[in-house]
Amino acid sequence: MLSNNIFTNFNRVINRNTAHTLFFKLYLSITTVIIGSIVLFVIIIYNYFSYVEFVHNANFSARLLNDFEEGSERWDMEVDLLSQFTGFSIQTLSAKAVLEYHQQHQLLDVIDMDNDTPPLPIGIGRGGVHVYDNDNDKRLAVIIPSHDKSLLIIDTISSMDAPMDGPDYDDSEFLLLGLIFLSIAFVLYFAVKNISDHVYKLSLASLALANGQLDTRVDDKIPAPLNQMAVSFNKMAISLQYSQHQQKVMANAIAHELRTPLTRIQLVMGLLSDEEHSTYTTELHNDLSRYTVEMEALANDILMLQTIEHKPSSAHQIVDLSELMQSREIEFQRQYPHVLLSSYIDVLEVDANPRYLQLIVDNLVKNACLYADSTVKLSLKSDPEYFSIVVEDDGEGISPLQREQVLDAFTRLDNSRSRQTGGFGLGLAIVSTIVKTMKAEINIGTSELGGAMFVVKFKLDV
């Protein structure tokens, strides 16, 4: 039993966190947005600082070259050293070449490094460091004016690849970034799970209420707007519990109060039976006897229905259902000799409440005998997982629109029939209540005999 409870709870946790749940979708969405925003921010910041860093490094290289004469051995040596250390491609441009490069390439930005930067040739624009996109290879390039010449410095790393490549992190930086992401996911998990748990508690409480546990209440000291749902739920549960209590008191009072006048009537009729009667008074006496029997049956049925609904019995034992149904068949054949009862009964023993099983069989067979023209068939069918009690008749049947209505208390589909034929409409309501109590199901269809067919299906606990 303990292992089954652990397995059930584990399945419930798994089901709560599967991809189709609101909890999982909300958690995944928030986590993705936050982590994605951080990654995008890091990429943008890195790209910007890489861009600025390249411009500053290029300007610094240009300042170093200002100390050397272009074309000299020292110049060439310095250019080679700077290319090796920075990875830049450095060359000098004439004023005409600068203008041509400016016209042929896309200008990305103009940065004023200081006030001493010489102006570029006329037609290019304001002075400063001009940053270009080097077209085909998508590399950054800058033109820096330096005295009587201009330097074209091209970065060897593609500007398209820079954001994807990212900076060179060491292991500690990767570990720190991973811890940040895990911390975000961890905090969000418990924040979202808290909301999800409140929703699941409300859901479980509503299921308990639907199963008849009207004393179910939920904690309303939870965050808004869920607290409003919790308060509304508790008010609804209180109202339902009070309403059911009033119905129970009323039904029990009616049933019990009926017994006192019934007992008195039966006593008086017993005394009158010793007296001589005319034909007329004898008929009246017989009618009164029948009415008292019906009223007593009504009171018993009301009490039975209330007891099953509000105080269901959990007493189980091994029941030979085959023998039970065969004995009830014999009894009903004796009570209704004008109806031919037939049966097809599998041999079956079940662990169940024998009183409830007998009430199901008795009420279904009695209902079938009352409405059958001549034939009623009783069946017990079983397979490895389920067993079914089936009762059929050859009467008028029940239309599909009336099949749910007929299971309600005091429902009589044909009001033109006498009470003697149709009863008070409590038999099928008792069957429906027992079926719900035993967690079975009842279906109404059309029999091959031409009338109604009632099928009560139980899950067979192996």
Side-chain angles (χ1 to χ4, degrees), residues 321-322 325 344-350 379-390 455-462:
L321 187 54
S322 310
M325 293 181 65
Y344 176 82
I345 299 175
D346 289 344
V347 176
L348 180 65
E349 290 186 348
V350 295
S379 304
L380 173 61
K381 303 176 181 179
S382 64
D383 57 44
E385 295 185 3
Y386 298 93
F387 70 92
S388 302
I389 297 173
V390 184
V455 180
V456 182
K457 187 176 182 179
F458 299 85
K459 187 173 183 181
L460 188 61
D461 295 329
V462 180

Side-chain angles (χ1 to χ4, degrees), residues 224-343:
L226 295 178
N227 63 331
Q228 299 177 7
M229 295 176 59
V231 170
S232 299
F233 176 88
N234 288 338
K235 289 182 179 179
M236 178 183 66
I238 292 171
S239 177
L240 288 174
Q241 190 175 30
Y242 176 77
S243 176
Q244 188 190 67
H245 175 71
Q246 290 298 102
Q247 292 178 6
K248 181 181 177 181
V249 170
M250 181 67 70
N252 287 339
I254 291 173
H256 283 292
E257 291 301 323
L258 277 174
R259 292 183 180 276
T260 300
L262 279 175
T263 302
R264 291 174 180 174
I265 292 173
Q266 288 172 341
L267 177 61
V268 171
M269 291 180 61
L271 295 175
L272 289 176
S273 63
D274 296 333
E275 303 294 331
E276 293 184 2
H277 295 283
S278 65
T279 304
Y280 176 71
T281 57
T282 300
E283 291 179 355
L284 290 177
H285 185 273
N286 293 335
D287 286 341
L288 284 173
S289 297
R290 189 174 71 252
Y291 296 155
T292 55
V293 170
E294 288 181 358
M295 291 179 68
E296 186 174 11
L298 174 61
N300 291 335
D301 285 348
I302 291 175
L303 284 175
M304 178 64 68
L305 186 60
Q306 290 296 313
T307 301
I308 296 172
E309 283 184 344
H310 304 299
K311 293 183 179 179
S313 173
S314 58
H316 280 207
Q317 67 183 61
I318 302 299
V319 181
D320 188 339
L321 187 54
S322 310
E323 181 180 349
L324 171 65
M325 293 181 65
Q326 288 170 352
S327 65
R328 302 315 295 164
E329 178 189 359
I330 295 171
E331 175 62 23
F332 277 100
Q333 185 66 79
R334 184 187 64 80
Q335 293 182 23
Y336 299 93
H338 65 283
V339 177
L340 175 62
L341 266 73
S342 63
S343 62

Side-chain angles (χ1 to χ4, degrees), residues 30-294:
I30 295 177
T31 306
T32 302
V33 168
I34 293 179
I35 294 180
S37 300
I38 292 175
V39 172
L40 183 61
F41 176 77
V42 170
I43 290 174
I44 293 174
I45 292 299
Y46 166 69
N47 191 33
Y48 172 75
F49 280 110
S50 298
Y51 173 88
V52 173
E53 182 183 7
F54 165 65
V55 174
H56 279 276
N57 289 340
N59 187 62
F60 179 73
S61 300
R63 288 178 177 275
L64 290 178
L65 290 174
N66 282 340
D67 297 332
F68 304 99
E69 182 181 354
E70 181 187 356
S72 64
E73 184 177 350
R74 291 294 303 276
W75 169 276
D76 294 337
M77 185 181 298
E78 191 69 21
V79 169
D80 290 340
L81 287 173
L82 287 173
S83 297
Q84 291 177 13
F85 282 105
T86 63
F88 297 158
S89 172
I90 304 173
Q91 57 181 296
T92 58
L93 297 177
S94 63
K96 181 180 180 181
V98 170
L99 186 57
E100 290 177 353
Y101 190 91
H102 177 76
Q103 294 172 348
Q104 295 173 0
H105 296 79
Q106 180 184 0
L107 178 65
L108 300 177
D109 197 4
V110 179
I111 302 176
D112 292 326
M113 302 303 296
D114 53 50
N115 296 326
D116 298 332
T117 305
L120 287 172
I122 297 174
I124 292 183
R126 63 188 177 88
V129 177
H130 285 53
V131 185
Y132 294 90
D133 184 354
N134 202 43
D135 287 346
N136 296 332
D137 50 14
K138 296 299 179 183
R139 292 185 294 171
L140 294 176
V142 294
I143 294 180
I144 303 176
S146 178
H147 300 296
D148 58 346
K149 59 183 178 295
S150 297
L151 294 177
L152 173 63
I153 302 178
I154 303 173
D155 195 357
T156 56
I157 301 177
S158 171
S159 61
M160 293 290 289
D161 296 335
M164 296 182 65
D165 292 344
D168 294 330
Y169 294 114
D170 56 23
D171 292 341
S172 62
E173 291 172 327
F174 274 117
L175 179 61
L176 178 61
L177 193 61
L179 288 176
I180 292 174
F181 290 162
L182 286 176
S183 299
I184 292 172
F186 185 77
V187 172
L188 282 177
Y189 175 83
F190 286 100
V192 178
K193 186 177 184 298
N194 185 39
I195 299 174
S196 177
D197 287 343
H198 290 313
V199 174
Y200 274 108
K201 287 178 182 178
L202 286 171
S203 176
L204 291 174
S206 64
L207 289 176
L209 191 67
N211 290 330
Q213 301 175 24
L214 299 184
D215 58 345
T216 302
R217 302 292 184 271
V218 294
D219 183 13
D220 56 8
K221 301 296 188 294
I222 56 178
L226 295 178
N227 63 331
Q228 299 177 7
M229 295 176 59
V231 170
S232 299
F233 176 88
N234 288 338
K235 289 182 179 179
M236 178 183 66
I238 292 171
S239 177
L240 288 174
Q241 190 175 30
Y242 176 77
S243 176
Q244 188 190 67
H245 175 71
Q246 290 298 102
Q247 292 178 6
K248 181 181 177 181
V249 170
M250 181 67 70
N252 287 339
I254 291 173
H256 283 292
E257 291 301 323
L258 277 174
R259 292 183 180 276
T260 300
L262 279 175
T263 302
R264 291 174 180 174
I265 292 173
Q266 288 172 341
L267 177 61
V268 171
M269 291 180 61
L271 295 175
L272 289 176
S273 63
D274 296 333
E275 303 294 331
E276 293 184 2
H277 295 283
S278 65
T279 304
Y280 176 71
T281 57
T282 300
E283 291 179 355
L284 290 177
H285 185 273
N286 293 335
D287 286 341
L288 284 173
S289 297
R290 189 174 71 252
Y291 296 155
T292 55
V293 170
E294 288 181 358

